[in-house]
């Protein structure tokens, strides 16, 4: 049984020094460490983060995940409950070594129903809400500080990655056919910075379909069965598919759940194709409950109609 240690910081200016101190004091034996790249955002669902997904793939029943404090892993209530569900299915324990959650057994389940104990769920939701309140208050205070500084003539926020005196050069080069990737290399900035500088020059800025192109599809909300969502969270997805899954809203239904996903029909069709293995085939037997869940999702996606 392995001890799996997970670490993460929110910006590349931060370090894991405090996490290291807490985890070292815990005396974890033979730790296997999974550390996210610096700056991995807390907005990204834990099940989408590369190193946490690698940790889940590496884990085996009976292993224990160790983190210094809960908010190194999750952002809000939905994230916590999603992670606990996955760890429970994989028979992996969770140990938190500091903060409000450190004295709780978050894996405690009812012996007959298998659901989280009501007291555990209540404490998780209450403490997560308190954490979200703290972050909201910090954002409000930051905003008030920026307003006060602006009133005195100071401008807050990050400086644009493309210097003001270079913006016209970048825009002219883009109009002359220079690619975004090439401009990013030329000026030593990210592609996102170049896109920001030329945003109003890009073809889809006004949202008008050019002649001979397909009209833009509008997002549609569908409920994805929990068994399908659980399978897709460990699948190799495209960024748009991963983003749609991560932004889904969990709706609890008895012992299970559905994931309410809002995405354009094309993304729903791609997600449906990704979960094809749940139907079995190629020597892999299908699990009836998983096959039924996939068929339910297929019926909902098929109801969207075929692309024009």
């Amino acid at each position: 049984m392995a001890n799996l240690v997970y670490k993460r910081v929110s910006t590349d200016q931060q370090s894991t020094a405090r996490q290291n101190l807490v985890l070292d004091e815990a005396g974890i034996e033979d730790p296997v460490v999974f550390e996210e790249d610096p700056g991995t955002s807390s907005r990204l669902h834990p099940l989408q983060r590369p190193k946490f997904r690698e940790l889940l793939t590496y884990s085996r029943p009976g292993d224990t995940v160790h983190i210094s404090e809960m908010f190194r892993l999750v952002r809000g209530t939905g994230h916590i409950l999603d992670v606990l569900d996955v760890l429970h299915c994989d028979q992996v324990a969770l140990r938190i070594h500091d903060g409000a959650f450190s004295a709780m057994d978050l894996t405690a389940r009812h012996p007959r129903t298998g659901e989280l104990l009501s007291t555990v769920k209540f404490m998780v939701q209450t403490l997560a809400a308190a954490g979200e309140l703290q972050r909201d208050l910090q954002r409000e205070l930051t905003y008030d500080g920026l307003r006060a500084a602006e009133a005195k003539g100071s401008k807050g926020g990050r400086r644009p990655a493309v210097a003001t005196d270079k913006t016209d050069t970048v825009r002219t080069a883009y109009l002359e056919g220079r690619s975004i990737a090439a401009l990013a290399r030329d000026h030593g900035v990210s592609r996102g910075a170049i896109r920001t500088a030329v945003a109003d020059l890009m073809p889809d800025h006004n949202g008008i379909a050019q002649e001979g192109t397909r009209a833009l599809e509008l997002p549609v909300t569908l409920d994805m069965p929990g068994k399908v969502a659980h399978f897709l969270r460990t699948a190799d997805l495209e960024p748009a598919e991963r983003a749609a899954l991560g932004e889904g809203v969990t709706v609890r239904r008895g012992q299970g759940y559905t994931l309410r996903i809002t995405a354009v029909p094309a993304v729903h069709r791609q997600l449906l194709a990704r979960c094809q293995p749940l139907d079995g085939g190629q020597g892999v037997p299908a699990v009836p409950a998983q096959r039924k869940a996939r068929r339910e999702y297929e019926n909902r996606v098929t109801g969207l109609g075929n692309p024009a």
Side-chain angles (χ1 to χ4, degrees):
M1 297 183 182
N3 289 309
L4 314 178
V5 172
Y6 179 77
K7 303 178 186 179
R8 183 190 64 83
V9 291
S10 299
T11 71
D12 52 12
Q13 281 77 42
Q14 296 175 330
S15 74
T16 58
R18 183 179 179 281
Q19 297 175 62
N20 294 339
L21 177 63
V22 171
L23 294 167
D24 288 345
E25 290 177 345
I28 302 169
E29 295 184 2
D30 301 322
V32 181
V33 179
F34 297 83
E35 183 175 339
E36 299 286 359
D37 290 338
T40 300
S41 173
S42 60
R43 294 179 182 274
L44 187 64
H45 196 292
L47 300 177
Q48 294 180 348
R49 296 178 195 151
K51 286 299 179 181
F52 192 66
R53 291 185 62 198
E54 183 179 328
L55 180 152
L56 292 176
T57 301
Y58 181 91
S59 67
R60 296 294 181 270
D63 290 351
T64 301
V65 177
H66 298 265
I67 53 177
S68 61
E69 56 185 345
M70 177 58 86
F71 293 106
R72 291 298 97 203
L73 176 60
V74 297
R75 179 179 176 85
T77 308
H79 288 188
I80 295 175
L81 296 177
D82 285 347
V83 168
L84 292 180
D85 280 345
V86 171
L87 294 179
H88 174 66
C89 291
D90 294 345
Q91 301 179 46
V92 176
L94 176 64
R95 180 76 171 87
I96 304 162
H97 294 277
D98 194 22
F101 290 93
S102 59
M104 297 174 57
D105 180 8
L106 298 180
T107 58
R109 303 244 167 188
H110 192 281
R112 288 183 292 277
T113 66
E115 293 185 337
L116 275 177
L117 290 178
S118 57
T119 52
V120 172
K121 185 179 293 187
F122 172 77
M123 291 301 296
V124 165
Q125 292 170 337
T126 302
L127 292 172
E132 291 175 355
L133 173 62
Q134 181 183 20
R135 288 193 297 274
D136 289 342
L137 289 173
Q138 288 174 341
R139 281 195 294 269
E140 290 174 6
L141 291 172
T142 300
Y143 176 74
D144 290 342
L146 291 173
R147 289 283 302 274
E150 185 177 352
K152 294 180 180 179
S154 299
K155 186 176 181 181
R158 294 183 179 180
R159 295 180 179 178
V162 177
T164 303
D165 60 346
K166 299 289 185 182
T167 301
D168 288 342
T169 302
V170 169
R171 291 166 65 84
T172 300
Y174 178 78
L175 290 172
E176 291 174 350
R178 192 75 170 155
S179 71
I180 288 176
L183 288 169
R185 289 194 301 270
D186 292 346
H187 295 273
V189 297
S190 68
R191 297 184 185 186
I194 298 297
R195 290 192 185 95
T196 299
V198 301
D200 60 325
L201 305 178
M202 298 179 75
D204 59 348
H205 173 67
N206 294 320
I208 301 175
Q210 297 179 1
E211 185 177 357
T213 64
R214 182 183 301 169
L216 294 176
E217 293 183 309
L218 296 177
V220 178
T221 300
L222 292 181
D223 283 353
M224 174 186 289
K227 288 181 172 58
V228 175
H230 179 67
F231 172 81
L232 290 175
R233 280 173 174 144
T234 61
D236 185 16
L237 304 180
E238 295 293 331
E241 301 164 9
R242 181 66 60 190
L245 200 67
E247 294 171 2
V249 177
T250 300
V251 180
R252 300 283 159 181
R253 300 186 183 280
Q255 296 185 27
Y257 72 98
T258 60
L259 193 65
R260 188 156 293 164
I261 295 178
T262 300
V264 296
V267 171
H268 284 297
R269 296 185 189 98
Q270 291 166 7
L271 290 171
L272 175 63
R274 299 287 187 188
C275 61
Q276 181 65 42
L278 294 180
D279 270 350
Q282 297 183 348
V284 179
V287 177
Q290 292 179 337
R291 181 168 56 190
K292 179 181 178 182
R294 185 194 177 279
R295 297 284 171 81
E296 290 178 2
Y297 185 51
E298 182 178 23
N299 290 338
R300 293 166 188 167
V301 175
T302 303
L304 298 176
N306 295 320

